[in-house]
């Protein structure tokens, strides 16, 4: 049964080394994410599942200890899902010696980074699930229900962004529908309204480049009937992309 959830955005810019000189611009967002992860830990789950959008090659389940990397963004930062930070020795070709090849999609790598820097207890099992934008809403709901049934006390860390069309300089340019779409997501997260998340318009989300639609609908399925309370910790659109941080708790 789902006993707690956190929702966080998944831009690699959350990792300060990736953001470089722009890192201070997202300090408030990082702080809100850290608080949400600590709230997850306080719920004392038996199992944590990190859910986020993924490209086709990296969809599906990822076991605890799965490797992720931000080397594609020009920084030597590696993570492992649900495992404490380990010293990494780099070979001459830039590959990490003694570590598995990165398999995590970037969204789950950001989630792993958040867990690592919040001091997640490695004794609590963590697994990941990469889901694709094409996954239909009904199937997302079914997946969420399956995840919630994996233990008596399940927690989810849901990684996903809102629309990417809030300003002229946004990745998807300005779309006048984006603000209303994001406002609806924010209301649903604040109220832990699984029905509203389940009803998100898939076509509109696609047009607005809302990468978090499928993960949010997985959360809707997992939380259905759980009677959790919601708290919206962050709702802004830096860089023209809707970012939300929320906590659901019993």
């Amino acid at each position: 049964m789902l006993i707690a959830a956190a929702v966080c955005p998944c831009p690699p810019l959350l990792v300060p080394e990736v953001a470089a000189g722009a890192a201070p611009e997202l300090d408030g967002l990082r702080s809100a994410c850290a608080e949400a992860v600590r709230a997850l830990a306080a719920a004392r789950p038996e199992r944590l599942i990190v859910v986020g959008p993924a490209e086709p090659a990296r969809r599906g389940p990822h076991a605890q200890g799965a490797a992720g990397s931000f080397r594609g963004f020009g920084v030597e930062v590696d993570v492992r899902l649900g495992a404490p930070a380990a010293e990494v020795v780099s070979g001459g070709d830039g590959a990490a010696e003694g570590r598995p090849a990165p398999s995590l999609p970037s969204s789950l790598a950001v989630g792993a980074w958040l867990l690592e820097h919040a001091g997640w207890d490695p004794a609590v099992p963590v697994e990941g699930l990469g889901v694709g934008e094409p996954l239909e809403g009904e199937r997302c709901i079914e997946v969420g229900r399956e995840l919630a049934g994996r233990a008596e006390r399940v927690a989810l860390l849901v990684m996903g962004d809102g629309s990417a069309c809030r300003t002229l300089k946004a990745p998807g340019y300005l779309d006048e529908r984006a603000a209303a779409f994001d406002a609806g997501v924010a209301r649903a997260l604040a109220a832990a309204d699984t029905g509203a998340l389940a009803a998100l318009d898939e076509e509109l989300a696609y047009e607005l480049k809302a990468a978090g639609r499928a993960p949010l609908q997985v959360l809707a399925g997992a939380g259905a009937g759980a009677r959790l309370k919601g708290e919206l910790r962050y709702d802004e659109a830096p860089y023209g992309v809707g970012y939300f941080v929320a906590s659901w708790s019993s």
Side-chain angles (χ1 to χ4, degrees):
M1 183 178 74
L2 186 74
I3 54 95
V7 175
C8 294
C10 54
L13 288 174
L14 271 176
V15 178
E17 292 87 344
V18 175
E25 297 176 8
L26 295 182
D27 281 348
L29 177 57
R30 291 187 194 92
S31 177
C33 290
E35 291 172 359
V37 173
R38 285 194 289 268
L40 276 184
R44 298 184 178 181
E46 296 175 3
R47 180 177 299 275
L48 174 68
I49 305 169
V50 186
V51 182
E55 58 273 23
R58 297 189 178 184
R59 292 174 190 163
H62 296 267
Q64 177 156 325
S69 175
F70 297 96
R71 292 172 182 263
F73 298 94
V75 297
E76 295 188 2
V77 177
D78 300 299
V79 293
R80 284 190 179 183
L81 187 64
E87 183 177 355
V88 178
V89 179
S90 295
D93 60 355
E97 296 178 356
R99 296 189 68 148
S103 64
L104 295 176
S106 64
S107 65
L108 299 192
V110 173
W113 183 88
L114 289 174
L115 292 172
E116 189 174 284
H117 286 263
W120 186 262
D121 183 356
V124 179
V126 179
E127 59 188 275
L129 178 65
V131 296
E133 189 280 330
L135 192 64
E136 295 180 352
E138 291 185 3
R139 179 55 184 151
C140 290
I141 300 300
E142 293 174 1
V143 169
R145 289 172 179 159
E146 293 168 4
L147 297 182
R150 293 197 177 174
E152 290 187 8
R153 298 180 62 81
V154 173
L156 293 186
L157 174 55
V158 180
M159 311 297 298
D161 303 341
S163 73
C165 301
R166 292 282 292 273
T167 67
L168 292 173
K169 294 184 178 180
Y173 196 65
L174 175 65
D175 190 311
E176 299 294 344
R177 302 171 296 174
F181 177 88
D182 286 345
V185 173
R187 287 193 299 270
L189 293 176
D193 187 342
T194 58
L197 292 181
L200 288 175
D201 188 319
E202 297 172 44
E203 183 176 352
L204 178 59
Y206 176 78
E207 292 174 356
L208 297 176
K209 303 184 185 301
R213 190 275 305 170
L216 287 172
Q217 291 190 314
V218 170
L219 171 61
R227 297 183 180 180
L228 301 179
K229 298 177 294 184
E231 178 183 357
L232 187 64
R233 298 178 180 270
Y234 186 96
D235 174 18
E236 301 289 345
Y239 316 125
V241 181
Y243 293 156
F244 316 100
V245 179
S247 294
W248 287 12
S249 60
S250 56

